[in-house]
Amino acid sequence: MKYYKDHYDVIVIGGALAGLSSALMLADKGKDVLVLERHNLPGGIATSFVRGGIEMEATLHEMMSIGSKKNRLKVGQFFDDMGVDIDWLKVPEAYHASLPGLEVTLHPGYKTFAREIDAAVPGSYSKVLHLMHLCYRVFNSVNELSIHPMSKPMMLLKHTEFVKTAGYSAKEVIDTFELPEKAVDLLAPYWIYVGSPLSELPFTIYAVLMADYIGWGSYVPRKFSHEMALKMAERAEAMGVQIEYRQEVEKILVANGGVYGVRTARGDEIHADYVISGAYPNKVYTSMIEPASEVPEKAIRQVNARRLSLTAFSVVMLLDREPEELGIRDYSIFSGDTMDTDELYEDLTGLGPYRYLTTICLNYANPDAVPKGMTSLSITTLPRADGWKTVSAEDYDRVKHEVAKQMIDDMSKYFGVNLLDHIVEIVIETPMTVNRYAGAWNGGIYGYTHRMEDHIIARLQTGDEERLIRGLEFAGAHAISGNGMGPAVTNGRKAAKNVLDAMAKEAEK
Ligand SMILES: Cc1cc2nc3c(=O)[nH]c(=O)nc-3n(C[C@H](O)[C@H](O)[C@H](O)COP(=O)(O)OP(=O)(O)OC[C@H]3O[C@@H](n4cnc5c(N)ncnc54)[C@H](O)[C@@H]3O)c2cc1C
């Protein structure tokens, strides 16, 4: 029996969140889709692992853009629309900030959030609320404009605050509120989830992030992030998508400036009119296009011009006591010895000691995540790849353990308990793990950094010019929206939409 059909409408490289979102949307429109995944499981970084018979979340802290059942946001709505039924659990708080002179737990809801900041920094309520409302209006504009592009005069008329703030960094806009420094510190912790210091982070991105997380709160799937991938893959197959695992795509076949298929590591040549790549553009343009002479010169300039965003170092632990017995009281703790994000960003270039940590205790959102009497705790930092590229194979184990030990010691001090005495299972994930496991370029988890000159708004404007090989689209954290699992879903949908638009244009000819 033949393994593959003679021809597909679309081949998707990578069965993670972005690729599976593309596949679902294309299958929903009746297209014939093949997904090729190099791993033996779907999900990529959205995964879990089993240690000592217990399943543990490998990565996810929190998903944005889900919303409640009655009031879905775009990612939650997409899952519902596609018939992917995820058992979402709401995360109980926004975050606990442990910063110099501040120990504050903040909850979602703009007024609640402003009130709680005001309790820690008296006099800041109305300014914080005003800022949150500004974020909300910008968030609404971004959502509307990404679906209904409009003329510049109309945009000026209807989306004044979006237009007024689009050219400024988060720092520049926040500074206009003249808030006390400590209040600004409490407004900054999520910066790490978009990987740019506030001075470089476009306000538009900050606004969307804050409006979404603080307005609706965040969610996690009951069966860990892998629940999303497994259910998406199952639904895609039910809709007719062919998914093949352990099939690495080595080459994307191109002739006369357009794709016509792929070749796998097994040697299968498979044909399609469109290819959606979950592999990073850096990898595609430097080693996957066949023949290499079909790589446009502009493609190399393009990937060189972009700055890769952050990678991850995470210590995932199963502990032998309930959280309360270990002094762990919050779901999510951002801790650091400063909230100067420029300083912290510089610090992420090295190999530690890392000064800004994110600690997640899954029990508080998902009490059944681990057996009774135990705690699921992860401590994460999101370094830049630069430092890790200097680590030799001989030094890797030592460096990895030193960094993990420092992070465990720091959080042990914070909780007032020696976590080392309570570890039942421990897994240390490094940038190399991410690189090896998901094939992510330099172990990147967020694609390319959002900067003033290169972020979603600029990328929306240049989207057509960036399509350098006919029929080739990219879907992954490295695509237009960047940053994380929710945006990966959005990126997958956008790639599928581009393909559907191109197909419609072809049909008109
Ligand atoms: C420790 C950690 C914590 C995180 N926490 C959060 C969080 O709390 N919230 C959040 O939103 N995000 C979080 N992220 C980031 C998030 O996981 C990623 O941004 C997102 O999952 C990326 O999804 P993706 O679809 O782009 O692809 P990836 O997950 O990178 O997967 C790419 C897929 O393509 C496959 N592939 C690659 N090349 C080929 C090839 N040549 N042939 C076939 N298959 C190929 C890979 O095997 C993989 O399945 C975290 C990441 C880490 C590491």
Side-chain angles (χ1 to χ4, degrees), residues 12-19 36-39 41-46 58-64 193 213 247-250 278-280 283 288 311-314 380-382 429 434 437-440 443-447 475-478 482-489 491:
V12 177
I13 304 174
L17 298 184
L36 295 168
E37 166 55 53
R38 67 202 267 277
H39 198 26
L41 292 165
I45 307 177
T59 54
L60 180 66
H61 296 179
E62 44 192 323
M63 283 284 288
M64 66 190 294
Y193 282 174
Y213 271 132
Q247 297 304 323
E248 177 158 11
V249 173
E250 258 182 13
Y280 269 61
K283 167 99 176 167
M288 288 177 73
T311 173
F313 188 104
S314 194
T380 303
T381 186
L382 301 182
E429 303 162 5
V434 181
Y437 187 83
I445 62 165
Y446 286 166
H478 46 73
N483 314 319
M485 299 195 190
V489 170
N491 287 332

Side-chain angles (χ1 to χ4, degrees), residues 10 25-26 68 91 171 204 210 249 262 303 358 372 406-407 453 491 499 506:
V10 188
M25 191 161 152
L26 290 163
S68 67
V91 169
K171 179 176 178 352
T204 315
M210 294 300 280
V249 173
V262 301
V303 291
T358 309
K372 288 268 162 290
Q406 171 246 316
M407 289 162 65
E453 64 275 29
N491 287 332
V499 166
E506 271 303 305

Side-chain angles (χ1 to χ4, degrees), residues 188-407:
Y190 276 145
W191 78 280
I192 198 70
Y193 282 174
V194 279
S196 305
L198 294 187
S199 60
E200 284 192 16
L201 181 66
F203 179 73
T204 315
I205 306 289
Y206 176 83
V208 169
L209 178 82
M210 294 300 280
D212 190 314
Y213 271 132
I214 303 302
W216 283 264
S218 59
Y219 288 77
V220 291
R222 187 181 297 277
K223 297 285 180 197
F224 313 118
S225 56
H226 208 211
E227 178 181 349
M228 289 186 277
L230 286 174
K231 287 187 172 165
M232 288 168 94
E234 194 179 47
R235 181 73 188 122
E237 286 186 316
M239 289 164 84
V241 175
Q242 183 181 348
I243 306 181
E244 299 300 340
Y245 297 101
R246 297 179 66 99
Q247 297 304 323
E248 177 158 11
V249 173
E250 258 182 13
K251 296 291 175 191
I252 297 173
L253 308 173
V254 181
N256 306 317
V259 295
Y260 67 93
V262 301
R263 179 166 325 101
T264 66
R266 213 178 70 141
D268 294 302
E269 182 171 316
I270 317 165
H271 293 164
D273 301 326
Y274 296 87
V275 171
I276 295 180
S277 171
Y280 269 61
N282 306 58
K283 167 99 176 167
V284 167
Y285 292 131
T286 53
S287 65
M288 288 177 73
I289 300 293
E290 182 173 290
S293 56
E294 287 282 356
V295 177
E297 202 184 300
K298 201 173 164 193
I300 302 297
R301 282 208 302 274
Q302 195 183 81
V303 291
N304 283 339
R306 294 220 143 110
R307 190 202 292 164
L308 283 162
S309 189
L310 306 177
T311 173
F313 188 104
S314 194
V315 184
V316 183
M317 292 171 285
L318 183 66
L319 306 173
D320 68 355
R321 298 266 197 286
E322 294 280 344
E324 296 81 0
E325 296 175 78
L326 298 169
I328 304 169
R329 278 177 288 278
D330 300 284
Y331 176 84
S332 160
I333 303 162
F334 290 107
S335 53
D337 58 10
T338 173
M339 200 63 258
D340 180 329
T341 54
D342 289 309
E343 222 180 283
L344 292 171
Y345 187 69
E346 267 321 295
D347 181 55
L348 296 175
T349 321
L351 291 168
Y354 294 112
R355 296 162 59 192
Y356 190 67
L357 303 177
T358 309
T359 303
I360 299 290
C361 176
L362 202 51
N363 300 50
Y364 285 115
N366 190 355
D368 302 324
V370 287
K372 288 268 162 290
M374 295 188 137
T375 293
S376 161
L377 193 79
S378 65
I379 311 173
T380 303
T381 186
L382 301 182
R384 289 152 76 182
D386 318 50
W388 287 88
K389 287 204 281 197
T390 65
V391 179
S392 65
E394 298 75 49
D395 286 343
Y396 175 69
D397 227 36
R398 178 185 55 77
V399 173
K400 165 173 137 170
H401 286 103
E402 277 173 10
V403 172
K405 173 82 169 37
Q406 171 246 316
M407 289 162 65

